[in-house]
Amino acid sequence: MTERYVLDLREVDQTQVTVVGGKGAHLGGLSRIDGVRVPDGFCVTTDAFRRIMAEAPSIGDRLDQLSRSDPDDREAIRTLSARIRRTIEEVAIPADLVAAITSALARLGERTACAVRSSATAEDLPTSSFAGQQDTYLNVVGRTAVLRHISRCWASLFTERAVTYRQRNGIDHRTVHMAVVVQRMVFPHAAGVLFTADPVTGNRKVATVDAGFGLGEALVSGLVNPDVFTVRHGEVVTRSIAAKQRAVQALPDGGTRDVAIDPRRQRQPALTDAQVVRLVRLGRRIEAHFGRPQDIEWCLDDEGFQIVQSRPITTLFPIPESGDQENHVYVSVGHGQMMTDPMKPLGLSMWQLTAMVPMHEAGGRLFVDVTRRLASPASRAGLLKAMGRGDPLIRDALETVLDRDDFVPSLPDAAPGGPPAGGAPAPIETDPAIVTELIERSRASLAALERDLATKTGPALFDFLLEDFEEHKRVLSDPLSLQALMAGMEATWWLNDKLREWLGEKNAADTLTLSAPGNVTSQMGLALLDVADVIRPWPEVVAFLQGVEDEGFLDEGFLDELVKLPGGTEARDALESYLDRYGMRCVGEIDITRPRWRERPTTLVPAILDNVRNFEPGAAERHFERGRRMAREKERDVLSRLRALPDGDRKADEAKRMIDRVRTFIGYREYPKYGIVSRYFLYKRALLEEAGRLVRAHVLAEREDVFYLTFQEFHEAVRSHRVDGQLIQQRKDAFRSYHALTPPRVLTSDGEAVTGAYRRDDVPAGALIGLPVSAGTIEGRARVILDLTEADLEAGDILVTTFTDPSWSPLFVGIAGLVTEVGGLMTHGAVIAREYGLPAVVGVERATRLIRDGQRIRVHGTEGYVEILP
């Protein structure tokens, strides 16, 4: 195919990113929209860039060096990228390429002032904007200057910030190419940016316009604050007019300069309201053309608005598809499940198929539509109460939405006589045999599943799984199980409420629940202490594990390597026994695609080594006994103080009944999740066997590719022996992009992310507010840990992280306190913190960014705030 070095902007559209880059493709698409003016121009294609790169063979070696460099080694990246840029700028542009560019320039006019703009093939894409990473040059006049600036644009593919961005996002430098857009220069009265959705809240019904005098560079560079207009339903609803003291203007002979604005004009708006509304109408047309909200750069000259760039707003959280035009309110599932990371498609679809309520996907996360429950006053009260107990920020966000007129329609209550929505199950006796029976039922169901799965393959496996998902739901909705769960939680709430009323003591139940029997998650953390006891006497085993931690040992054969060492057989047997009971767990375990401890046992090594270093033999039993003793002492103290009150015998008797009830049932709080994850691990092993068959049949490249198919698509692939490889790649790219998105607690169908707030004035200035979930105050070193495998804890450390699910429990035995960004009163981290007697505050917004690793902090687990100490 003959290379084309130059294309007129009107010849290209958004399908030609590989030829003219993201910016060029978008500008070409814009030029085809009726009523949208785009400055005339042409694109120097990626064929020209490749030709230039071929003229400098030394670049290949430097790209290899760059790819091998650490993204955090700024000095190496700065040096290498500067050399590559210098090499590209020094390449002489071949004569035929010069001729093609000169011809296109002549059509604009030889002395026409131009904007010369970089347009990379990985720029302005739906999932990554790369905004501002390559260069733009304004008011470039004459052939020689244009050619020189085109070379600079090619070289700007290797600016330090662009190189670092690609390396951090796993993008191969060789796969990205640079086109250059050359356009007729616009000399505007005003310029700025239009967002067709609110870039802060995400609301798709709200547009914002930033405007200033002169060229838009004044705003982009931060030289001036812009006028800001907010538009909703075709009307300007807010405006903020800035004092615009400076502007950037073009010089007659090329280049730009900033100039002072006449003081009499500084407070004048850069646009009238009518112009703002007209601009937003243009923006809506552009948004409709590209099919998603846009970040649009505009200029206003004598003839009206000209559009000089449009890119997708990549920071917006996607909206779940509803299939209608009604208003909807969605609550995050991840915030309740302690897993706000994105999930792969198989994980999402499996959770949807096994969940008790319909769930909607967006941005790799799941949401529940609560609109109807909010619309009915009776169900609304129950929903808000439940959300408030779990996560006060979700409740506040929902109340914020309800305060807005008419967003949630008001529906009549259900007819009297029916059961209340979400009503509590009937109470049960305080009998430990109930918990024993429930656990036995769960084990029997799992054993039957394991037997049946061993006999199923191919399409029959998927048909069987669909049937078993109903059994899964039956186990989850077992009335006796729900009664036991509620009994433990309600007894906890009763004790906290009544003991505060009668004795003035906050969170008394936190001590009364220490070392409660039967908590499978707290037992899991203590059991790893027992594993450390087996390993500690064997220095060669300890040294081997330290090598595993330092060098990233492969999981394959890890346990087999142990037996070659003195004490290795004992160590392996202890680990195998632990994995037999807990190997189905992992971080983010609600996503079936996440690697389990049984699949990746080296994940546990940092926690084991911390236990070996920080504890003496027998620590697990001592820890449990200490908690039980403290709970007994607290019980005697509370009952004694109650009996001294008026009507004290009755109060003490009621409290005793509730203490017995909470200690009987609160440990069971963790068991249903253990059962879910155990079941999921059996599903996963069967599905991976099926994926292996597809690999052997050359249908899939590797087993884990099925993680990017939904359950239904996987089923069809097994039936047809066909898979769309392009779909899998698109899903991988999308999944990678979802990591950059922060899921909101509450999301509306307008796209607005509603965060909620703690409305408190009883905390010290500068303190970080959260939810108190485990009483006590502790001061210590903050360890900000985002990945369980990077844990390196010492006695007295306070764990600060985004969220904790049960897989983090092995760390809890070695810390002094806990701070998380996500969580509620009865979520796993809170329950285990209380079990271990750790002061804990959860739901602290941006804790991992506001608290630095190594800082000293004070955690007020009774009052619900964190102080950063000098």
Side-chain angles (χ1 to χ4, degrees), residues 225-237:
N225 291 324
D227 297 341
V228 181
F229 303 86
T230 303
V231 177
R232 186 182 179 101
H233 301 314
E235 290 183 22
V236 175
V237 291

Side-chain angles (χ1 to χ4, degrees), residues 51-63:
R51 174 88 178 271
I52 293 298
M53 294 291 278
E55 297 281 328
S58 65
I59 285 179
D61 291 338
R62 287 176 179 161
L63 283 178

Side-chain angles (χ1 to χ4, degrees), residues 15 54 243 335 345 380 421 440 565 763 776:
T15 67
H335 284 81
R380 180 191 307 153
E440 211 36 61
L565 304 169
V763 298

Side-chain angles (χ1 to χ4, degrees), residues 208-229:
T208 64
V209 175
D210 291 3
F213 295 125
L215 293 167
E217 289 301 292
L219 304 187
V220 173
S221 65
L223 185 64
V224 297
N225 291 324
D227 297 341
V228 181
F229 303 86

